[in-house]
Amino acid sequence: MIFTIAFKELKALFASSLAWTLLALVQLVLGWVFMGRLDAFLEVQSQLVQIANPPGVTEIIVAPIFAMAAAVLLMATPLLTMRLIAEERRNHTMTLLTSAPISMTDIVLGKFLGLMIFFCGVIFLVMVLSLSLLMGGTLDIGLLLSNAVGLLLICACFAALGLYISSLTAQPAVAAAGTLGILLGLWVMDIAADDGGSIMRTLSLLKHYESFNRGLIDTFDLAYFSLFILTFLVLAIRRLDGERLRG
Amino acid sequence: MNEKTISTTILAQGLCRDFGNRAAVCEVNLELRRGEVLGFLGPNGAGKTTTMRMLTGNLSPSAGSVTICGIDMLGRPRDAKARIGYLPEVPPLYRELRVDEYLLLVAKLHRVASAILRPALVKTKQRCGLSDVGRQLIGSLSKGYQQRVGIAQAIIHNPDVVILDEPTAGLDPNQMREIRSLIRELGAEHSVILSTHILSEVETVCDRVQIMHRGRMVFNDSIDGLKQKKTSLEEVFSQLTLGEASPGDIQAS
């Protein structure tokens, strides 16, 4: 049942021009960053040889692309998540799902899964972009995979939060604005923190993504992401369940 | 007793629903037998849609119970919902999908076995006169066709109970006639609840009529019973919903 809903979401997503536009824009921005970093790498390459243990092409080109990809997807997610519940409510199609013999958990997880499959497509494209470097050299595949896992997890966080905010309202624009606001807040939270052990830093999404970006898979970060995803998915399910009571 | 539970498809007892301090629906009882078409009347804001939402499990009642074919809606919502087809006031259509895609999706959501998906789709399209538009996008269809798709999504899983909220609103006379004959046809196999504002529609299509006013059920009689008493539905309706007569006094058998 979850897959039926996930498949339906993907179909609806690709039936509109939104998905294609977003994919094209993401690819354009990342392609541009890629070219810029590649240019910079070629410029400093001769000097790098002189340092002992120099940073490789993966650190200089691939990691910044993934950092940029996370920022771009942060902007794009609200546009995708606002459709999931808020727009279904506005179009009165939510009744179809709530009248069907399926639970709210199926609905929320199906929608989440559908969006994650879309994100997997985006991440796949970023991977292909990075792997194109293999034509001219070697890559640190471990670092590349750590980046991909990090990006997947942070996208799941965006999606879970967006899904919850979307479940709060029947106005897609409000859902999008709310999600973007909160995500940006979580993103820049650590700016206010001056010392390393601050709670602000612990809660910031960016800080946790940074370690994946450096190739460090920390159980603390994994736990943070899992809890974040789980919390907002459960909240969304509870919210939809409660709707039957509130009317 | 057993036979009674099988032939009774919907049994709602003492349904109440409050929104804040306002009671939208109060002490509504409703019983429907297999093969019966019930006309559900009432002025706007009488609580018809709220009642239907409770019957279909979209809204929890503040008090009372709903059983569908003997299955409690609150206790086993999944099994109960599988036996209902519901067309809300605004048909829940995904405009960006094709008619076939949409109906297959609905069938899957209602757990129709994959072996009979295709036959169910073909049969439903035939019944609703949609055979020629299967490949079209729902958004590109006319209002009448969209309404038919709405009815098709309510019956594709062959439910025991079909609940239609104003299915003929905004249709032209020909389309209305077609939809009415479809409802008549549905009534042969399924139980149908039909909410409408068109009294003549109830007189031609329904076996029984219930009228709601200010959240209460104020009238419940068969169409034949009305004919025997030589009163028209219109008289009864205006008397109950306009006059000062307090609801409950006129409760018919």
Side-chain angles (χ1 to χ4, degrees), chain A residues 17 22 24 63 69 111 129 150 159 185 194 206:
Chain A
S17 48
L22 277 179
K111 284 172 177 291
L129 190 67
D194 34 16
L206 181 68

Side-chain angles (χ1 to χ4, degrees), chain A residues 52-181:
Chain A
N53 204 3
V57 66
T58 321
E59 278 105 322
I60 294 182
I61 302 178
V62 174
I65 289 179
F66 273 89
M68 192 62 191
V72 173
L73 287 176
L74 181 141
M75 307 289 173
T77 310
L79 295 173
L80 295 165
T81 53
M82 73 175 189
R83 298 176 45 260
L84 293 179
I85 299 175
E87 197 160 293
E88 289 231 34
R89 277 211 192 101
R90 201 187 53 176
N91 294 342
H92 302 276
T93 48
M94 200 64 192
T95 329
L96 179 72
L97 298 179
T98 51
S99 309
I102 48 178
S103 66
M104 294 299 169
T105 315
D106 289 340
I107 296 176
V108 169
L109 290 184
K111 284 172 177 291
F112 178 70
L113 185 69
L115 191 52
M116 286 317 292
I117 294 173
F118 175 77
F119 280 141
C120 283
V122 177
I123 294 170
F124 173 75
L125 287 177
V126 183
M127 297 266 285
V128 171
L129 190 67
S130 313
L131 287 173
S132 69
L133 287 169
L134 281 175
M135 284 189 292
T138 54
L139 276 181
D140 180 348
I141 299 294
L143 181 57
L144 178 65
L145 285 180
S146 142
N147 267 297
V149 170
L151 190 57
L152 186 68
L153 282 172
I154 203 162
C155 282
C157 290
F158 296 163
L161 179 80
L163 199 55
Y164 172 58
I165 305 290
S166 191
S167 75
L168 294 178
T169 166
Q171 309 285 336
V174 174
T179 310
L180 185 63

Side-chain angles (χ1 to χ4, degrees), chain A residues 163-239:
Chain A
L163 199 55
Y164 172 58
I165 305 290
S166 191
S167 75
L168 294 178
T169 166
Q171 309 285 336
V174 174
T179 310
L180 185 63
I182 296 175
L183 283 177
L184 279 176
L186 283 168
W187 189 261
V188 298
M189 211 169 184
D190 64 313
I191 289 179
D194 34 16
D195 58 298
S198 141
I199 181 101
M200 293 290 196
R201 188 156 288 210
T202 317
L203 286 178
S204 161
L205 272 173
L206 181 68
K207 276 284 158 257
H208 294 277
Y209 181 56
E210 262 176 9
S211 31
F212 284 96
N213 213 215
R214 287 199 311 269
L216 183 71
I217 298 183
D218 186 351
T219 43
F220 177 56
D221 298 325
L222 286 176
Y224 171 84
F225 282 141
S226 320
L227 275 177
F228 192 100
I229 296 164
L230 196 68
T231 307
F232 284 107
L233 287 182
V234 169
L235 281 175
I237 293 169
R238 284 189 59 93
R239 166 78 198 183

Side-chain angles (χ1 to χ4, degrees), chain B residues 164-185:
Chain B
L164 306 170
D165 200 348
E166 302 193 17
T168 54
L171 298 187
D172 73 35
N174 292 334
Q175 291 169 331
M176 274 192 195
R177 206 171 49 237
E178 282 171 22
I179 300 253
R180 276 177 207 164
S181 65
L182 177 62
I183 293 170
R184 208 47 269 184
E185 200 182 301

Side-chain angles (χ1 to χ4, degrees), chain A residues 1 4-5 7-9 11-13 15-16 83 88 91-104 106 111 241 243-247, chain B residues 17-19 53 56-61 77-79 81-82 84 86 88 90-97 101-102 105-106 108-111 153:
Chain A
M1 209 37 67
T4 310
I5 297 175
F7 188 63
K8 175 224 122 189
E9 287 302 331
K11 209 172 209 172
L13 190 58
S16 72
R83 298 176 45 260
E88 289 231 34
N91 294 342
H92 302 276
T93 48
M94 200 64 192
T95 329
L96 179 72
L97 298 179
T98 51
S99 309
I102 48 178
S103 66
M104 294 299 169
D106 289 340
K111 284 172 177 291
D241 259 330
E243 204 143 275
R244 245 181 321 204
L245 299 171
R246 272 190 317 274
Chain B
R17 175 69 210 199
D18 310 324
F19 290 111
R53 287 179 65 202
T56 54
N58 276 298
L59 191 67
S60 312
R78 272 197 210 189
D79 296 333
K81 281 179 180 178
I84 302 181
Y86 177 39
V90 184
L93 305 176
Y94 292 109
R95 302 172 58 83
E96 67 274 19
L97 295 185
E101 288 173 339
Y102 172 74
L105 167 72
V106 176
K108 280 185 208 154
L109 286 176
H110 281 90
R111 302 176 192 278
Q153 64 83 24

Side-chain angles (χ1 to χ4, degrees), chain B residues 46-173:
Chain B
K48 297 192 299 288
T49 298
T50 308
T51 308
M52 291 191 163
R53 287 179 65 202
M54 286 194 280
L55 293 177
T56 54
N58 276 298
L59 191 67
S60 312
S62 309
S65 70
V66 178
T67 42
I68 310 292
C69 303
I71 301 166
D72 184 33
M73 176 57 88
L74 291 175
R76 288 161 61 198
R78 272 197 210 189
D79 296 333
K81 281 179 180 178
R83 290 163 187 270
I84 302 181
Y86 177 39
L87 171 67
E89 239 174 321
V90 184
L93 305 176
Y94 292 109
R95 302 172 58 83
E96 67 274 19
L97 295 185
R98 297 177 197 284
V99 173
D100 282 352
E101 288 173 339
Y102 172 74
L103 291 177
L104 282 176
L105 167 72
V106 176
K108 280 185 208 154
L109 286 176
H110 281 90
R111 302 176 192 278
V112 174
S114 54
I116 56 165
L117 269 181
R118 285 284 157 186
L121 175 69
V122 172
K123 188 183 166 208
T124 309
K125 281 200 299 182
Q126 219 164 26
R127 289 180 96 174
C128 301
L130 292 166
S131 298
D132 301 332
V133 297
R135 300 273 306 146
Q136 284 197 38
L137 290 178
I138 293 176
S140 71
L141 295 175
S142 68
K143 171 128 170 95
Y145 270 99
Q146 289 189 359
Q147 197 71 28
R148 289 188 205 186
V149 178
I151 296 181
Q153 64 83 24
I155 62 175
I156 192 165
H157 53 293
N158 199 20
D160 295 305
V161 183
V162 180
I163 298 183
L164 306 170
D165 200 348
E166 302 193 17
T168 54
L171 298 187
D172 73 35

